[in-house]
Each structure stands twice: as C-alpha cells, then as structure tokens.
Amino acid sequence: MSKPGEFYQRDRRWHPPALAQDYKTSVTRSPQYALISLENTASEITGPTFGHNDIDPLDHDLLRNFAGEGHSPIGERIIVHGRVLDENARPVPDTLVEIWQANASGRYRHKKDTYLGSLDPNFGGCGRTLTDADGYYFFRTVKPGAYPWRNWVNDWRPAHIHVSVFGSAFAQRLITQMYFEGDPLIATCPIVNTIPDPTAIEQLVAPLDRNATIPLDSIAYKFDIVLRGRRSTLFENRLEGN
Amino acid sequence: MPQKLDYLKETPSQTAGPYVHIGLAPGAAGFDIYARELGWDIAGPNAKGERIRVEGIVIDGTGSPVKDVLLEAWQANADGVYPHPETAGEVEDGFRGWGRVITDFETGEWAFDTIKPGPVMGRDGQMMAPHINLWVVARGINLGLNTRIYFADEEAANAADPVLTLIEWERRRATLIAARSDRDGVPVYRFDIRLQGQDETVFFDI
C-alpha cells in the first residue's frame, strides 16, 4: 500500500557543519564524533501538533502585539510572508511558525542584551502563527537593525529574523534565520558563512516583494521555508515493523 | 541531458543564537507577551503512568555549563503512543507529548516534569525501550542536535533496544541512559549532555 514513509535523508553538506572555526562559539559546542545515523521510527516521523487554541490572533502582528494602545513601534513597517513547503514542493499546513528579532535599532528585548541601541517601548520582538491549508503564513513587523556582536572585534550581524518551524514530524524540526535582499553585511557574516554553499545561503535571503506591499503602509519581503520531504512509495518500507 | 529532478532543497539551518528565549520562551527573556507560552506541560493532568522529573546540564568542550540552551522533548505516553494523527491509538486528554525547557541563566541546570513513557514499536517489529526524544539548540550550535533519553531502571529493555545496540561503541551507550534517584518521593532522572570531549553524548542523524 502507499502511505507516506521515511523522510529523505538530511543533506548535511547543505546545512552548516557543527564546527565552523570563524563562528567562534561553535568551537567548543560542536560534537566531534560522527552522528549515529538512524533510520526513521515512530519517534521521528511523529511530532507535536498545534491548533488555534494555542495562540492568539494578534500573535503574528509585531506592530501591535506589544505596543501600547494607539502606539506602534519605530522602524520600517514590513510584511514577511511566504509558504512552508516540503522538499516535494507540497504545502505544510497548520504548522507552527515562530519568529523573533531585534528592534529597528538592533536591540533585543532580552535581559542579556546590553547593546547601546535603545529598547522600543512598543516593540516586543516575537510573533507566532499557524500556516493555513496552503502552507501560507504572514507576519507584520518592523525591519530589524544590524548590530555588533563579539566574535571578531568588529563583527556586525546583518539584519535578520530568527524563524522556528515544526512541520509534522520531529525529524523536520528546524530553526533558521531570514536575511534581507541587498544587505551588504550578509557576505561577511561568520554565522551566515557557516553555510558552505553560496546557493544555500541565497535560500535564506528574502527578496523585496513589491506585489505584496501595501501601498502607503508597509513593504513586503517573501520568505519561503522548505522542510524535509518524505518518501511515498509503493514498495514496502517496513516502517511499521510488519 | 537527463530530465531534471524537481525536488526543493531543505532550508539551511542557522543557530538559534543567544536570544532564542525571546521567540520561544519570552517570559525567560524578561517580558510578558503571550497569553500562553507553549511547551511547559508535557503530560497534562490526565496522563497515566509514573510521574517523573528529568533534569540535567549541558556541558561544552571546556567542561563548562552552557547557560543559553533550549531543549525540546518529544515522547509517547505510558502506553507507547505518540499524540499524532499517524499513530494508532489514543492518548489521554491533555497529553501533548512535547515540552520545551531552557537552561538556567546562572547555573545551566534544566528540568522538566512528565510521565515515564512506555515502550514504542520500532522498525521490523522490534520494540524500542522507553525513551524521550530530545532536540538541543543554542548559540554556537549550527544545526539542532538530536539525542534520546533512556532510563537506567529499564535494563532489560535497554539491552534489547535496536537504537542503543546500533551504537557500535558499547561505552558510548551509557551517555544516553539517565540515572534514577528519589527526591521527596518523586523519581528524578539525571541526564547530562556533553557536547564534546570525553564521554561526548551520542547524537543522532535522524
């Protein structure tokens, strides 16, 4: 019979390796032994599910989800939208997408962030939403600022938004970062460059999407996210153990 | 030229960074924004089985605790059933099977409360010993690390577990087995994770 089977093997040459010397923090946090390859079992092909009871309708609107009544955060108003697909180009519906980011001055609302940039009293910096039946999602926010970080003495992170996605299986769990088209800091960022393949890096750069801008209101960037796809084969794959 | 395969490529991973709490546990970052933070209750009030606590610390290659880790747990219920549309069987109302926990900013300690999962049917009809799947992200971790927590008091099941026995180096299997103790009548399992160095935890490519 035909039913979804194992997930395609993760292409670990597409992802960053655990150890990337130029991203100094990875040096002591990277496993040195080879990973043990595990064929999928029920533990990997299942994963948590989320519903509309878990989140609030305003959670995806960073212009409003922390701002005081009648106020909005300072910064370029943007829409970030796209689809969550799998490697077979099928939409991933009803999956939780969570984002977090610095404000327009490059400062995070986090007790461990001590950067000089100001906090914005009307900006929290996190949002979450569920994809619809077509895998579509969107957020409204402000464009984050670049900020310095301690790696080499003069390192600056390009503007970015952190993105966390679940998919339908624990094997699909992914955290990544979205960058903005045209940002000159992308090319020199040691975290971006943990990814060895320039084509893979391009997959993290969201283009300006003029068709999705709201005239006189917000400009838009499009960011499609691809999660691991899975086999669909007529051949017995013995996943169920029979 | 052969025909072109039209698969998409998986979006490459990037580190969760030091401020992962803002997105996934904003209360810990120091502000209150969501009505409900997700992942703090794995088993819910109705779950059958033994109530347990699992705790540990994540240690880097210098032997120091890592204090900005986020861990996610995924487990079956006491009957070995995952709450997922593709599994046969029902779980108790409120059983999510999934939890999210962060390490303490000062000590690096983490802990979560749950129920002890049951054995789960694996491949080829081989039963897997009770285990909790764990996903570990942090600053300096470029792609989330997958591992499994097994339980020291499941000696016979662990010895027959098809995943543990897949690990060629028998002494490394011990890195996946949480020691059990009792604290005020509650069973506590200790699961320290060593990212690198001596006794590096076994991580899986799933």
Side-chain angles (χ1 to χ4, degrees):
Chain A
M1 64 182 250
S2 174
K3 60 196 233 174
E6 290 124 322
F7 284 86
Y8 302 138
Q9 172 182 299
R10 192 163 239 166
D11 183 352
R12 289 186 177 264
R13 291 180 174 171
W14 191 252
H15 287 283
L19 172 61
Q21 291 285 351
D22 289 345
Y23 176 26
K24 293 183 182 180
T25 313
S26 76
V27 174
T28 58
R29 295 183 174 193
S30 42
Q32 292 171 332
Y33 292 132
L35 303 179
I36 306 290
S37 295
L38 206 58
E39 293 166 287
N40 287 174
T41 70
S43 298
E44 289 79 36
I45 65 162
T46 60
T49 52
F50 301 93
H52 288 281
N53 290 334
D54 289 319
I55 61 175
D56 288 320
L58 206 59
D59 285 354
H60 75 140
D61 188 351
L62 285 71
L63 295 185
R64 289 172 63 206
N65 70 8
F66 194 75
E69 192 67 37
H71 295 272
S72 67
I74 290 172
E76 237 178 285
R77 296 161 62 87
I78 65 169
I79 288 163
V80 174
H81 76 131
R83 293 172 80 201
V84 180
L85 305 166
D86 69 14
E87 288 171 291
N88 298 314
R90 296 192 189 103
V92 181
D94 306 317
T95 199
L96 183 66
V97 181
E98 297 164 290
I99 64 167
W100 67 101
Q101 64 169 92
N103 68 19
S105 52
R107 173 79 181 265
Y108 285 95
R109 185 171 290 279
H110 191 291
K111 57 186 175 190
K112 293 283 180 189
D113 188 2
T114 55
Y115 177 44
L116 295 169
S118 298
L119 277 174
D120 182 335
N122 294 304
F123 191 70
C126 61
R128 55 190 187 180
T129 191
L130 291 169
T131 57
D132 71 11
D134 298 318
Y136 182 76
Y137 75 91
F138 74 98
F139 291 95
R140 208 160 69 131
T141 184
V142 294
K143 190 171 177 186
Y147 59 85
W149 62 298
R150 288 182 182 277
N151 187 61
W152 295 322
V153 168
N154 191 20
D155 268 331
W156 292 76
R157 292 301 326 274
H160 63 277
I161 297 178
H162 297 265
V163 183
S164 160
V165 199
F166 281 82
S168 63
F170 214 50
Q172 290 178 301
R173 190 79 180 86
L174 184 72
I175 282 181
T176 190
Q177 301 182 28
M178 182 203 107
Y179 304 97
F180 293 86
E181 177 184 8
D183 187 338
L185 292 170
I186 293 172
T188 55
C189 175
I191 289 179
V192 172
N193 287 308
T194 58
I195 299 171
D197 186 330
T199 316
I201 290 174
E202 284 172 12
Q203 203 176 344
L204 298 184
V205 182
L208 177 69
D209 181 1
R210 237 174 231 279
N211 288 347
T213 63
I214 302 176
L216 307 179
D217 183 327
S218 308
I219 63 173
Y221 289 88
K222 185 156 192 283
F223 189 62
D224 287 336
I225 300 159
V226 181
L227 302 181
R228 291 168 72 182
R230 58 197 298 194
R231 292 170 191 277
S232 158
T233 171
L234 291 172
F235 295 104
E236 177 58 65
N237 61 36
R238 298 193 301 171
L239 193 62
E240 298 296 308
N242 299 312
Chain B
M1 284 283 281
Q3 295 184 11
K4 193 171 156 39
L5 290 170
D6 58 358
Y7 297 109
L8 303 178
K9 293 295 287 183
E10 186 187 11
T11 298
S13 171
Q14 290 270 264
T15 178
Y19 305 125
V20 60
H21 319 91
I22 296 176
L24 307 187
F31 68 113
D32 184 24
I33 184 162
Y34 295 141
R36 291 169 301 282
E37 285 200 15
L38 300 173
W40 58 272
D41 188 5
I42 299 174
N46 304 313
K48 296 176 293 187
E50 188 179 27
R51 296 272 158 182
I52 62 169
R53 166 162 283 214
V54 185
E55 62 180 29
I57 196 167
V58 181
I59 300 161
D60 72 11
T62 74
S64 309
V66 183
K67 301 173 183 176
D68 47 14
V69 182
L70 180 127
L71 304 105
E72 288 186 357
W74 174 240
Q75 68 165 86
N77 73 0
D79 295 329
V81 177
Y82 283 102
H84 190 270
E86 285 182 43
T87 52
E90 296 288 314
V91 298
E92 303 86 346
D93 189 34
F95 183 86
R96 300 296 295 257
W98 172 76
R100 183 178 262 175
V101 67
I102 61 161
T103 50
D104 185 274
F105 289 138
E106 306 303 323
T107 65
E109 292 276 345
W110 58 269
F112 57 80
D113 296 319
T114 184
I115 56 101
K116 191 176 170 191
V120 173
M121 183 55 77
R123 298 173 68 92
D124 303 328
Q126 284 185 287
M127 195 60 92
M128 294 189 285
H131 64 278
I132 298 174
N133 307 283
L134 212 56
W135 185 69
V136 184
V137 295
R139 178 171 68 103
I141 295 177
N142 290 325
L143 174 59
L145 298 168
N146 290 96
T147 188
R148 288 184 173 194
I149 302 170
Y150 286 87
F151 301 94
D153 53 323
E154 297 283 344
E155 231 166 305
N158 290 345
D161 181 83
V163 171
L164 285 174
T165 53
L166 188 66
I167 302 164
E168 182 184 339
W169 308 273
E170 285 182 39
R171 65 184 303 276
R172 294 202 68 204
R173 297 175 191 168
T175 66
L176 301 187
I177 297 179
R180 178 175 171 128
S181 62
D182 259 53
R183 190 183 302 148
D184 306 325
V186 178
V188 177
Y189 288 94
R190 181 79 192 179
F191 190 75
D192 291 336
I193 297 169
R194 288 176 178 78
L195 295 176
Q196 98 183 183
Q198 193 164 18
D199 296 322
E200 179 180 306
T201 298
V202 169
F203 298 105
F204 295 107
D205 183 1
I206 63 169

